[in-house]
Amino acid sequence: MYHLIELLRKSKVVSRLDILHFVDEEDIQVFSAKATLRGTSFLYIRELTTKTETKYSYHWQTHSGKLVCRWDNAPHHRTVPTFPHHKHKGNKEEILPSKEVTLEQVLNIIDKQLNDKKKKK
């Protein structure tokens, strides 16, 4: 879990990091945090790792609470080709396949989208 903290601290997308929960034991690791991103949005990170599985949720929202995108691997959308990995886009909660399954991949996507948005201004 320490690698997640290091990744967030080094990220050019993250302007502030608040660690909400941290457990690092032999059989289980739990990490949750709120990252304030460049501009006016937040990324809520949750990861739980045991010897047999990893569960994650990366929830990106605007300052006003509007969902931009949430990536997770909760096993409830069995028809998605990348099951159990999927993403929820926008307020309509559109469910899409997701190849982004790590925090690093998600931060790269966010960085690209924020840069693209900045270029359009």
Side-chain angles (χ1 to χ4, degrees):
M1 295 287 128
Y2 292 102
H3 68 284
L4 298 177
I5 295 169
E6 190 69 19
L7 178 66
L8 288 160
R9 285 190 174 146
K10 287 184 175 181
S11 173
K12 57 187 173 180
V13 176
V14 177
S15 60
R16 178 186 166 126
L17 176 62
D18 296 304
I19 298 171
L20 305 174
H21 191 75
F22 186 87
V23 175
D24 186 15
E25 297 179 1
E26 184 178 334
D27 294 338
I28 189 168
Q29 292 82 44
V30 181
F31 177 76
S32 67
K34 176 184 176 184
T36 303
L37 306 178
R38 289 191 329 249
T40 59
S41 61
F42 303 102
L43 181 66
Y44 291 90
I45 302 112
R46 289 186 302 139
E47 280 200 23
L48 179 141
T49 303
T50 67
K51 290 182 179 185
T52 59
E53 68 180 334
T54 297
K55 295 180 180 183
Y56 67 87
S57 173
Y58 311 117
H59 180 97
W60 181 20
Q61 70 180 48
T62 65
H63 181 70
S64 63
K66 179 182 172 190
L67 175 68
V68 178
C69 190
R70 181 176 65 252
W71 298 261
D72 69 73
N73 65 342
H76 50 247
H77 296 290
R78 297 188 182 279
T79 58
V80 176
T82 55
F83 176 83
H85 310 283
H86 61 278
K87 57 188 167 187
H88 304 253
K89 291 279 278 197
N91 277 344
K92 293 182 182 177
E93 292 270 343
E94 182 181 5
I95 309 301
L96 300 168
S98 178
K99 293 180 182 176
E100 301 84 31
V101 299
T102 67
L103 179 57
E104 184 172 17
Q105 292 169 325
V106 166
L107 288 171
N108 287 336
I109 292 292
I110 291 170
D111 184 41
K112 183 180 182 327
Q113 288 187 19
L114 290 177
N115 284 335
D116 290 348
K117 188 177 180 180
K118 188 176 179 181
K119 288 176 187 176
K120 289 180 183 178
K121 287 185 175 182

